DNA sequence: TCTTGCACCTCTAGTCGCTAGAGGATGTAG
DNA sequence: CTACATCCTCTAGCGACTAGAGGTGCAAGA
């Protein structure tokens, strides 16, 4: 149960020091106790919360979504419908993003393949950018 | 060859009015001539440039990359190696992004499937977030 | 004990690519 | 002439940090 400095918490959680302070500032993390010299001193249990946030951020959840998820975690007797809804919404976002990135990928591949490595006036990269009609799938 | 107001340019190019002014402000678009009453008045040829920018933005190119691409377009005798390099770099970015989003998608699907729609203390969504080790592929 | 040097503190400002709003001028249709 | 839409400039805000200035705390070596 020994206390941890912010630097140690950063190392163990993988969340950077200024980011931890930022999370505290926006109320995502409650303010820890302080040492005599006014330095933040964390409980080991704070690391769980930090890991939770980090993981959720890696999965692309927005801060406000994470705020809700943390509140749910704090009150385990609530129904988990909201958590489910947040995750489902995120899944749909990700699926859409993948679809649109796949379209972009196809477009970029055509551009790059079509580049004859000559001069700009024969370059398909520039040409396609200048004329959307030359896209393979012009509906992006 | 008749002149066009900013609103009309916005309608025809699909770039919003404040965004056109913003592009002018950061020097992506050269300042157009003005009417007697100080209102911007565009040439039809400005619409091409606007369309180019819009298309490049849709493909996810950053403003600085677009700035370079526009310079290349303005000087068609240059070799197109830079354009090619920019497009290739963007392609690699997109491919990486797709890979990482596919990993996220798998993760989110597991979370959502595993949610028994009961209470938070049995919810896989919360559980997985709290413990990265429960991920299917913990290397994100 | 002193000093070195890193880690910590707060605060402000910057990043990117816009977007929103205030407060006022211009242009056009009836 | 009067509405009303559109235009103008300017500043501030968004999300999620990141960077830097200017100062304090703390542990270890000489």
């Amino acid at each position: 149960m020994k206390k941890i400095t912010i630097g140690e918490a950063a190392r163990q959680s993988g969340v950077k020091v200024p980011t931890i302070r930022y999370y505290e500032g926006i109320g995502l993390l409650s303010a820890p106790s302080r040492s005599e010299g006014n330095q933040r001193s964390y409980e080991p249990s704070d690391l769980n919360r930090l890991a939770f946030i980090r993981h959720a951020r890696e999965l692309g959840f927005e801060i406000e979504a994470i705020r809700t998820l943390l509140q749910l975690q704090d009150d385990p007797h609530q129904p988990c419908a909201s958590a489910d809804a947040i995750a489902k919404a995120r899944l749909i976002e990700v699926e859409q993003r993948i679809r649109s990135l796949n379209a972009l990928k196809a477009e970029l591949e055509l551009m790059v393949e079509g580049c004859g490595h000559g001069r700009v006036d024969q370059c398909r990269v520039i040409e396609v950018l200048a004329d959307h009609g030359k896209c393979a799938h012009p509906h992006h």
Side-chain angles (χ1 to χ4, degrees), chain A residues 71-140:
Chain A
Q71 279 163 12
L72 290 171
Q73 196 195 25
D74 290 343
D75 187 358
H77 296 288
Q78 285 199 296
C80 73
S82 335
D84 190 41
I86 290 171
K88 272 192 179 131
R90 178 70 192 133
L91 180 55
I92 287 168
E93 268 172 43
V94 167
E95 282 167 346
Q96 279 175 353
R97 194 92 187 94
I98 290 172
R99 269 196 297 279
S100 101
L101 284 176
N102 273 322
L104 294 193
K105 180 170 170 263
E107 216 57 71
L108 288 166
E109 276 168 348
L110 272 179
M111 282 166 78
V112 169
E113 274 168 32
C115 171
H117 306 287
R119 279 174 295 117
V120 165
D121 50 5
Q122 298 146 355
C123 181
R124 188 166 159 85
V125 171
I126 300 287
E127 192 187 351
V128 171
L129 282 171
D131 185 356
H132 194 162
K134 289 187 177 141
C135 277
H137 306 288
H139 40 69
H140 49 244

Side-chain angles (χ1 to χ4, degrees), chain A residues 56-68:
Chain A
R57 285 296 298 138
E58 279 173 350
L59 291 171
F61 289 96
E62 292 176 2
I63 296 284
E64 285 317 301
I66 296 173
R67 204 186 289 277
T68 306

